Structures are given as structure tokens and as C-alpha cells.
Amino acid sequence: MARIKTEKNTTRKDVIVSKAAILFREKGFKAASMRDLAESVGVEAASLYNHIKSKTELLHELCFSVANRFLQKLDEIESEQIPAIQKIEKILRFHIVEMVNNYEEVYVSDREWKHLNDPYLSNFQNQRRIYRKRLAAIIETGIKNKEIKPIDAPTAVLILLHAISGIESWHRSKQKITAAALEENMVTILVGGLTI
């Protein structure tokens, strides 16, 4: 029987989670089967269960690992003693880099989370809500300090996050600018649109 091939510093479960992210993005969580995943990993379906309990466990792991990375970065940036507009720029840069470098995971976390089961579904929805409110609070501080235009902060957060999720089309593009140029263009447009 074939064994799951791992790279240095990765476990078999890491390989399975990574392949699951690609599969869930391509087919959607509901349509992807354990048989598809086993084929992608290069093993029999039954041997996957030595490393994971279910397809749902994989989705849970993908969604919460991404959410935790984003929350950890937000904690770090919020604690910095810098102007609000600089905090927003740092957060946007982090989002862009994550969407470029960890596209499959971020895409699945952003689009397939609705297939989580409770209590994980409620927990994840709550984390998303809190994250957006914290971003809005940074924007509101920037408005109060006259660094950011007087706009509706929750609306600004939605626009910023949706713009970054649009990086999906950059991944599909046959003729694309470099990741660094993409980041600089997006930051210029998004942060420039907020700044007074």
C-alpha cells in the first residue's frame, strides 16, 4: 500500500489538510469526497482515517487555523503604537500576502465555512463578526483622529475584505503582475481611498 509522502517539517496530516484545501476549493466542500482526497494524496481512502476522523474535521482545521492566524496578527497590530491608518495598511498587507501565499486555505476558510457543524459554525461566525468589528474600530479611531475620511467604518471593512478576496481572479489570470506589484497596487488604492 502507498504511503503519504511528506516533506521535511511536515506530517502526513499536514499533507492531507493541504490536499483537502486544494480539493475543497476546486470542487467545493460538499462535492469533494474522501475518495477524491485519497486519490489526491496517493493512498487508499481507508488509510486516510488513520490520520483524520472525517472530511468535516478537515474543514474545521482549515477554517480555524486561518482564523487563528488572522486574529493573532490583528492582536499584534492593534497593540502597536502607530496611527490607525498604518494599522489598516499592515492588516491589508497581511491579508494580501495570505491570499497570495496560502490561497487554497484562505479561500476555503472564506467560502466554505458555512458547511461547518455547530458548535463550530456558531463559533466561526462569531469570530468573523468580532474580527470585522475590531477592524471597524481601528477605522473609527482613524476617523476620530482625522487620519481617515469620515465614512461608515463597517461598510469600509466589507469593501476592503471583499477587494482582497478578489485576489482569486489574480490566481486564475494567465497574464498577471507579480505578487509584490499586486500588493503595492492594492495598498495604494485601498489605503489611498481611506486617507484624508
Side-chain angles (χ1 to χ4, degrees), residues 2 29 47 64 111 126 144 147 149 168 175 180 183 195:
F29 175 76
S47 63
F64 283 95
R111 308 281 171 92
N126 191 44
K144 192 174 84 178
E147 304 164 40
K149 293 173 183 166
E168 171 198 355
Q175 293 181 321
E183 180 180 340
T195 310

Side-chain angles (χ1 to χ4, degrees), residues 41-149:
V41 172
V43 297
E44 296 292 323
S47 63
L48 287 177
Y49 293 103
N50 293 329
H51 306 283
I52 57 162
K53 292 184 191 119
S54 65
K55 188 170 84 163
T56 304
E57 177 193 343
L58 291 168
L59 182 62
H60 172 266
E61 182 141 341
L62 283 163
C63 289
F64 283 95
S65 71
V66 170
N68 291 338
R69 279 199 314 269
F70 278 69
L71 286 168
Q72 186 176 15
K73 190 64 174 181
L74 183 58
D75 288 343
E76 179 188 307
I77 292 169
E78 278 179 323
S79 69
E80 293 182 27
Q81 299 301 311
I82 57 175
I85 193 68
Q86 288 179 15
K87 289 181 182 183
I88 293 297
E89 180 176 337
K90 283 184 135 187
I91 291 163
L92 291 175
R93 285 186 185 278
F94 177 75
H95 274 256
I96 293 164
V97 168
E98 282 288 309
M99 190 67 172
V100 168
N101 295 335
N102 300 304
Y103 171 56
E104 312 286 353
E105 293 173 43
V106 175
Y107 179 93
V108 169
S109 177
D110 189 48
R111 308 281 171 92
E112 299 294 320
W113 61 266
K114 59 190 167 290
H115 299 295
L116 289 166
N117 296 323
D118 270 323
Y120 303 111
L121 177 61
S122 299
N123 185 351
F124 193 77
Q125 286 175 306
N126 191 44
Q127 280 191 20
R128 285 171 61 94
R129 238 185 331 271
I130 289 168
Y131 189 84
R132 288 193 303 263
K133 282 183 180 178
R134 287 171 67 185
L135 287 180
I138 295 170
I139 291 173
E140 285 163 359
T141 299
I143 293 167
K144 192 174 84 178
N145 294 339
K146 304 208 180 320
E147 304 164 40
I148 295 175
K149 293 173 183 166

